[in-house]
Amino acid sequence: MAWFSKKPRIATTPEPPEAPSRMQGLWAKCESCDEIIYRQELEKNLNVCPHCEHHLPWSARTRLASLLDPDTFEEFDQGLEPQDPLGFVDSKKYKDRIKSTRKALGENDAFVSGVGRIQGHQVSVGCFLFEFMGGSMGSVVGEKCARVFERAHELKCPAIVFSASGGARMQEGIFSLMQMAKTSAAIARFRAVGKPYISVMLHPTTGGVAASFSWLGDIILAEPKALIGFAGPRVIEQTIRQKLPEGFQRSEFLLEHGMIDAIVHRRELRDKLVQILGLIG
Amino acid sequence: MANVSYPLDFERPLIELEKKIDELKALSVSGSVDFTSEISKLEKKAKKLQTEIFSDLSRWQVVQLSRHSSRPYFLDYVSHLFTDFFEMAGDRCFGEDPSIVGGFARFDGRAVMLIGHQKGRNTKENMARNFGMPRPEGYRKALRLMELAERFDKPILTFVDTPGAYPGLGAEERGQAEAIAVNLEVMSRLRVPIISTVIGEGGSGGALAIGVGNRVLMLQNSIYSVISPEGCASILFRDATKADKAADSLKLTAKDLKGMQVIDEVVPEPEGGAHRDHTKMAENLGKVLRKHLGELSALSPEALVQDRYRKFRALGVFSGR
């Protein structure tokens, strides 16, 4: 046992929230300004801190419900379930990890998808559940995502994907990596119908998800201050052996470097989507 | 026999034995004493030792072989298997990235496009090649060359050998993720044959970005993984020294991937590993490339796109509908 052990000084992508505890109860605390907020007020404000406008994590289902026209969302592929093709074991068996996560969240994997309408425009949508193993992409997420584009292709309607993911899911090894190619190939086919694919990057969008379908949007939007990039900040710091500048890999930084189209406040997202769909949907 | 300058621990006994044999041979030539019987005895022993060591490699040993500093790199295959190589530089956008090399060449007289990651043999070369870790410019150059190949109806042969895309500040600023994503999409719809061969390390998205082929081949002692065993160990086991364990968990060898039907064929290496005999290795690879290129050349452009799409669309393991 070492007397001193070196701890990483800088936190990287946030750990997936310990689901309920912080989100339950009457009060919530803003992770940015530390203000205590009345939960109902926070929820009414779309989980955006009313004091500092920080965009707190927002559940995928609530997001879809609030962006789509009321009662128009029809979910697809909810029966897809993850397998354990490698028999992967780290500190825990992957099988057990999936089992306990599925039980805790009542979700099969890290992606919810289906068809709905926005101001009457039919759209094929998908959204990551970051709380499910950091929104990591394994076979189920990749398959569901590919089907979002195939459905859009079939229905000749726009596709919208909301990304929040640490990247590929290590526990499914090479199969996770191959989902990058699979989803990108599905997009290549979808392009033929002449309908837009709008990619909305949430906090955080990194790794194999950023480096495949997320960055292939005809239009790429991001929520304010979302961490977006290929490598995580800690990996980069270890590689270049210096501290990263403030705001590096945040939405504002990417906008400045020409890597995304616009940063959109959560409150204005539906209006922007309506505007885009009106122009090219 | 190739000169193995930095042998791995597990191949050291063999290398030392061979050195002894060479010394004896030198003595026999110069001196009057006849060592023929000793030499032949030692050679038999060396052969047996080699079979012993290499018949049952652990995954971690394969990882080490895939990174062997004497292993043939992309440009070695270029000189062994192709003629008339015309290297083309630059992404026409920001810069030239020597960690990916590409250009037209001839294979059996026929013009093809070659694109590959290139590592360096020594520190100086590795500085220039960035240890085979491309920046966005490398991927954009590759993209440019692949689109050129399509325009001139030439097949594309890619050679994967990278620890991964470079995780640096400038690379992020210039859109590393975007560059990789675009390659994945474009490769999936190119109307010419694409054969991708993992010749050493297939490091994650940085490898896949030139790896979307109609055929994906791997050399016997190469690896292909979503994350390096070290990276996996430090994240999941919180201990980078457990990389050998992570390598087992990740199932990243050519044999593993063939077993899971993720790749099409394993290209056999000369006994003792590709680094022991570059010429033989290139011969083996050439034979396999020739076969697949022949098969793919019979397909129409539409069929090629369809074939590649089906291949990658089918990858994934899940249950339910």
Side-chain angles (χ1 to χ4, degrees):
Chain A
M1 188 72 190
W3 284 16
F4 304 99
S5 57
K6 202 170 162 190
K7 280 187 194 149
R9 275 170 304 156
I10 294 106
T12 54
T13 35
E15 293 278 322
E18 296 266 328
S21 67
R22 216 162 163 209
M23 287 298 166
Q24 276 171 353
L26 268 136
W27 301 93
K29 190 172 164 189
C30 172
E31 57 193 25
S32 173
C33 70
D34 285 343
E35 257 333 300
I36 305 290
I37 319 157
Y38 190 44
R39 178 155 316 271
Q40 263 186 344
E41 188 192 359
L42 183 64
E43 279 166 10
K44 225 170 65 195
N45 206 31
L46 317 177
N47 267 26
V48 175
C49 173
H51 303 281
C52 69
E53 298 290 316
H54 180 73
H55 285 51
L56 289 133
W58 200 23
S59 110
R61 291 185 185 278
T62 319
R63 177 184 295 275
L64 289 178
S66 92
L67 280 172
L68 299 170
D69 299 346
D71 302 319
T72 61
F73 182 60
E74 187 190 348
E75 187 173 354
F76 282 87
D77 308 325
Q78 64 267 54
L80 297 193
E81 294 174 11
Q83 295 287 301
D84 179 19
L86 306 186
F88 197 96
V89 182
D90 49 89
S91 58
K92 213 172 164 182
K93 281 187 185 160
Y94 176 48
K95 256 199 180 114
D96 295 341
R97 203 180 281 277
I98 303 175
K99 210 175 181 181
S100 59
T101 312
R102 284 176 62 181
K103 203 170 155 208
L105 298 174
E107 300 280 357
N108 279 339
D109 211 312
F111 200 77
V112 47
S113 54
V115 171
R117 288 185 181 274
I118 294 181
Q119 195 89 322
H121 294 275
Q122 188 177 44
V123 288
S124 176
V125 292
C127 183
F128 272 84
L129 296 124
F130 186 71
E131 62 273 27
F132 197 108
M133 294 185 71
S136 56
M137 170 164 67
S139 296
V140 170
V141 172
E143 179 67 24
K144 281 181 142 187
C145 185
R147 291 187 190 182
V148 165
F149 296 108
E150 286 171 347
R151 216 169 283 126
H153 193 162
E154 212 172 283
L155 298 168
K156 297 194 169 40
C157 73
I160 306 177
V161 176
F162 301 88
S163 301
S165 168
R169 185 174 296 170
M170 275 177 276
Q171 291 89 342
E172 289 184 30
I174 195 73
F175 290 104
S176 299
L177 183 68
M178 292 302 157
Q179 303 311 307
M180 294 171 66
K182 172 158 117 185
T183 52
S184 303
I187 293 173
R189 282 209 156 178
F190 165 70
R191 304 279 195 212
V193 297
K195 292 289 177 184
Y197 158 37
I198 306 169
S199 172
V200 185
M201 295 178 168
L202 311 174
H203 178 71
T205 299
T206 58
V209 169
S212 60
F213 57 87
S214 286
W215 232 303
L216 292 174
D218 294 300
I219 292 182
I220 301 176
L221 308 177
E223 283 198 343
K225 294 195 179 132
L227 178 78
I228 300 165
F230 180 64
R234 190 174 51 181
V235 174
I236 302 172
E237 285 188 334
Q238 281 168 355
T239 308
I240 62 172
R241 292 166 202 281
Q242 58 189 47
K243 226 172 130 28
L244 292 170
E246 177 79 21
F248 184 70
Q249 290 184 312
R250 298 287 164 175
S251 313
E252 296 71 15
F253 173 91
L254 291 160
L255 184 70
E256 205 176 288
H257 283 82
M259 297 314 300
I260 58 176
D261 288 288
I263 296 171
V264 182
H265 192 289
R266 200 173 279 168
R267 215 164 21 234
E268 289 153 13
L269 186 55
R270 184 178 147 95
D271 287 348
K272 284 282 182 227
L273 292 175
V274 170
Q275 186 190 359
I276 296 165
L277 293 172
L279 288 166
I280 53 174
Chain B
M1 194 144 299
N3 185 19
V4 181
S5 34
Y6 298 100
L8 300 167
D9 282 342
F10 65 84
E11 60 174 355
R12 187 153 300 167
L14 177 65
I15 306 278
E16 272 160 16
L17 190 58
E18 282 170 348
K19 216 186 275 168
K20 222 174 273 169
I21 296 170
D22 285 345
E23 280 166 17
L24 282 181
K25 276 184 180 162
L27 275 178
S28 314
V29 171
S30 61
S32 50
V33 197
D34 183 18
F35 290 114
T36 323
S37 70
E38 278 85 352
I39 289 173
S40 89
K41 222 185 277 167
L42 283 178
E43 275 177 337
K44 246 183 228 154
K45 195 174 160 199
K47 186 130 184 54
K48 202 174 145 219
L49 186 62
Q50 174 160 297
T51 313
E52 253 171 50
I53 295 173
F54 284 88
S55 63
D56 193 23
L57 293 171
S58 72
R59 290 198 179 86
W60 180 240
Q61 287 174 322
V62 175
V63 170
Q64 291 171 288
L65 281 173
S66 75
R67 299 168 174 168
H68 202 296
S69 61
S70 303
R71 200 172 166 81
Y73 295 147
F74 170 50
L75 286 174
D76 299 310
Y77 292 106
V78 172
S79 60
H80 276 102
L81 288 175
F82 305 94
T83 54
D84 239 2
F85 179 53
F86 177 70
E87 186 180 344
M88 298 157 77
D91 68 345
R92 301 291 189 272
C93 191
F94 180 83
E96 153 65 6
D97 183 351
S99 62
I100 287 187
V101 172
F104 287 110
R106 283 184 194 281
F107 184 47
D108 297 338
R110 172 186 184 185
V112 295
M113 171 58 78
L114 305 178
I115 295 169
H117 296 107
Q118 181 63 38
K119 293 179 177 178
R121 277 276 168 237
N122 50 45
T123 312
K124 198 177 153 204
E125 274 179 34
N126 262 321
M127 296 297 282
R129 303 277 184 198
N130 201 30
F131 298 85
M133 293 186 286
R135 299 183 167 91
E137 298 75 67
Y139 293 115
R140 291 182 181 131
K141 171 170 72 179
L143 178 74
R144 182 173 77 82
L145 298 189
M146 289 191 279
E147 287 181 324
L148 269 186
E150 184 188 42
R151 189 175 317 150
F152 299 114
D153 196 24
K154 303 298 177 215
I156 300 167
L157 306 179
T158 71
F159 299 80
V160 174
D161 190 12
T162 180
Y166 185 61
L169 204 125
E172 291 288 331
E173 281 178 335
R174 300 191 297 277
Q176 186 73 289
E178 192 265 357
I180 293 171
V182 170
N183 280 20
L184 299 180
E185 181 185 343
V186 172
M187 282 189 94
S188 80
R189 62 163 168 71
L190 288 177
R191 295 160 59 84
V192 291
I194 305 176
I195 303 174
S196 300
T197 309
V198 183
I199 56 172
E201 278 183 281
S204 196
L208 186 61
I210 61 165
V212 186
N214 294 87
R215 299 282 195 275
V216 180
L217 319 172
M218 282 178 79
L219 303 198
Q220 191 181 340
N221 295 313
S222 67
I223 58 164
Y224 202 175
S225 179
V226 67
I227 185 167
S228 71
E230 289 88 347
C232 178
S234 77
I235 295 172
L236 290 184
F237 305 119
R238 307 204 177 270
D239 182 358
T241 60
K242 291 193 176 144
D244 54 341
K245 214 173 124 200
D248 277 332
S249 293
L250 286 166
K251 303 210 168 32
L252 38 58
T253 66
K255 197 171 139 199
D256 289 327
L257 267 68
K258 178 73 176 98
M260 296 186 284
Q261 294 176 316
V262 174
I263 59 159
D264 298 285
E265 188 165 344
V266 179
V267 185
E269 295 190 12
E271 206 180 31
H275 61 287
R276 308 257 292 160
D277 192 343
H278 288 197
T279 312
K280 180 80 176 75
M281 183 67 250
E283 237 170 66
N284 291 358
L285 178 56
K287 216 185 291 169
V288 179
L289 286 176
R290 205 162 284 130
K291 178 185 80 180
H292 288 291
L293 191 57
E295 286 169 14
L296 292 173
S297 299
L299 299 181
S300 69
E302 292 74 26
L304 284 168
V305 175
Q306 179 76 10
D307 168 75
R308 209 176 306 122
Y309 183 81
R310 265 203 224 116
K311 176 185 177 65
F312 284 90
R313 182 66 187 84
L315 287 175
V317 179
F318 54 85
S319 64
R321 289 152 53 90

